[in-house]
Short mmCIF file of all heavy atoms in Angstrom, two decimals:
data_model
loop_
_atom_site.label_atom_id
_atom_site.label_comp_id
_atom_site.label_asym_id
_atom_site.label_seq_id
_atom_site.Cartn_x
_atom_site.Cartn_y
_atom_site.Cartn_z
N GLU A 91 84.38 156.42 98.09
CA GLU A 91 83.03 155.85 98.05
C GLU A 91 82.18 156.24 99.28
O GLU A 91 81.01 156.12 99.25
CB GLU A 91 83.08 154.37 97.93
CG GLU A 91 83.71 153.89 96.59
CD GLU A 91 83.68 152.37 96.51
OE1 GLU A 91 83.14 151.72 97.45
OE2 GLU A 91 84.24 151.90 95.50
N THR A 92 82.84 156.78 100.24
CA THR A 92 82.13 157.24 101.50
C THR A 92 82.58 158.64 101.88
O THR A 92 83.71 159.05 101.47
CB THR A 92 82.40 156.27 102.65
OG1 THR A 92 83.77 156.27 103.01
CG2 THR A 92 81.92 154.88 102.37
N ALA A 93 81.85 159.30 102.62
CA ALA A 93 82.15 160.63 103.15
C ALA A 93 81.53 160.81 104.52
O ALA A 93 80.53 160.22 104.78
CB ALA A 93 81.63 161.72 102.19
N ARG A 94 82.21 161.68 105.28
CA ARG A 94 81.72 161.84 106.66
C ARG A 94 81.42 163.33 106.81
O ARG A 94 82.30 164.18 106.69
CB ARG A 94 82.74 161.39 107.66
CG ARG A 94 82.27 161.47 109.09
CD ARG A 94 83.02 160.43 109.93
NE ARG A 94 82.57 159.06 109.73
CZ ARG A 94 83.28 157.96 110.06
NH1 ARG A 94 84.49 158.08 110.46
NH2 ARG A 94 82.78 156.79 109.90
N ALA A 95 80.11 163.63 107.00
CA ALA A 95 79.72 165.04 107.12
C ALA A 95 80.31 165.60 108.43
O ALA A 95 80.45 164.91 109.42
CB ALA A 95 78.22 165.11 107.21
N LEU A 96 80.65 166.92 108.43
CA LEU A 96 81.20 167.53 109.61
C LEU A 96 80.18 167.42 110.74
O LEU A 96 80.52 167.27 111.94
CB LEU A 96 81.47 168.99 109.36
CG LEU A 96 82.59 169.24 108.32
CD1 LEU A 96 82.71 170.75 108.12
CD2 LEU A 96 83.90 168.68 108.74
N SER A 97 78.86 167.43 110.46
CA SER A 97 77.81 167.36 111.51
C SER A 97 77.86 166.04 112.20
O SER A 97 77.37 165.88 113.35
CB SER A 97 76.41 167.58 110.92
OG SER A 97 76.23 166.63 109.87
N SER A 98 78.40 164.91 111.55
CA SER A 98 78.40 163.66 112.16
C SER A 98 79.41 163.56 113.36
O SER A 98 79.33 162.64 114.15
CB SER A 98 78.71 162.55 111.19
OG SER A 98 80.05 162.71 110.73
N LEU A 99 80.29 164.52 113.45
CA LEU A 99 81.27 164.53 114.54
C LEU A 99 80.78 165.37 115.76
O LEU A 99 81.47 165.40 116.76
CB LEU A 99 82.56 165.19 114.06
CG LEU A 99 83.25 164.46 112.84
CD1 LEU A 99 84.47 165.19 112.38
CD2 LEU A 99 83.54 162.98 113.20
N ILE A 100 79.63 165.91 115.65
CA ILE A 100 79.11 166.80 116.77
C ILE A 100 78.48 165.86 117.78
O ILE A 100 77.79 164.85 117.52
CB ILE A 100 78.08 167.80 116.24
CG1 ILE A 100 78.71 168.76 115.26
CG2 ILE A 100 77.41 168.53 117.40
CD1 ILE A 100 77.75 169.71 114.59
N ASP A 101 78.73 166.20 119.11
CA ASP A 101 78.16 165.46 120.27
C ASP A 101 78.67 164.06 120.38
O ASP A 101 78.01 163.25 121.02
CB ASP A 101 76.63 165.52 120.16
CG ASP A 101 76.09 166.92 120.38
OD1 ASP A 101 76.72 167.72 121.01
OD2 ASP A 101 74.97 167.20 119.80
N LEU A 102 79.74 163.70 119.71
CA LEU A 102 80.31 162.37 119.94
C LEU A 102 81.05 162.30 121.21
O LEU A 102 81.64 163.28 121.71
CB LEU A 102 81.29 162.01 118.76
CG LEU A 102 80.66 161.78 117.36
CD1 LEU A 102 81.84 161.45 116.42
CD2 LEU A 102 79.68 160.55 117.42
N LYS A 103 81.11 161.11 121.83
CA LYS A 103 81.96 160.90 122.97
C LYS A 103 83.40 161.01 122.55
O LYS A 103 83.76 160.75 121.38
CB LYS A 103 81.68 159.52 123.63
CG LYS A 103 80.33 159.38 124.21
CD LYS A 103 80.09 158.02 124.88
CE LYS A 103 78.76 157.94 125.53
NZ LYS A 103 78.53 156.58 126.18
N LEU A 104 84.25 161.45 123.47
CA LEU A 104 85.65 161.78 123.21
C LEU A 104 86.35 160.71 122.38
O LEU A 104 87.03 161.01 121.32
CB LEU A 104 86.42 162.11 124.46
CG LEU A 104 87.89 162.55 124.16
CD1 LEU A 104 87.94 163.76 123.30
CD2 LEU A 104 88.58 162.86 125.49
N PRO A 105 86.30 159.39 122.72
CA PRO A 105 87.05 158.36 122.04
C PRO A 105 86.59 158.36 120.54
O PRO A 105 87.39 158.20 119.64
CB PRO A 105 86.73 157.09 122.70
CG PRO A 105 86.36 157.48 124.09
CD PRO A 105 85.68 158.85 123.94
N TYR A 106 85.25 158.42 120.23
CA TYR A 106 84.71 158.36 118.90
C TYR A 106 85.10 159.62 118.12
O TYR A 106 85.38 159.62 116.89
CB TYR A 106 83.24 158.19 118.91
CG TYR A 106 82.77 156.89 119.45
CD1 TYR A 106 82.14 156.82 120.74
CD2 TYR A 106 82.99 155.71 118.78
CE1 TYR A 106 81.68 155.59 121.27
CE2 TYR A 106 82.60 154.47 119.30
CZ TYR A 106 81.90 154.45 120.57
OH TYR A 106 81.55 153.20 121.04
N LEU A 107 85.10 160.76 118.80
CA LEU A 107 85.50 162.02 118.18
C LEU A 107 86.96 161.98 117.70
O LEU A 107 87.28 162.34 116.55
CB LEU A 107 85.28 163.21 119.14
CG LEU A 107 85.73 164.59 118.64
CD1 LEU A 107 84.94 164.98 117.37
CD2 LEU A 107 85.56 165.60 119.77
N VAL A 108 87.82 161.54 118.61
CA VAL A 108 89.21 161.34 118.28
C VAL A 108 89.35 160.37 117.10
O VAL A 108 90.19 160.61 116.18
CB VAL A 108 90.08 160.85 119.48
CG1 VAL A 108 91.47 160.54 119.08
CG2 VAL A 108 90.03 161.94 120.60
#
Side-chain angles (χ1 to χ4, degrees):
E91 294 181 4
T92 62
R94 187 154 280 161
L96 296 177
S97 58
S98 67
L99 300 178
I100 298 175
D101 293 331
L102 289 178
K103 293 182 179 180
L104 183 59
Y106 295 111
L107 177 62
V108 172

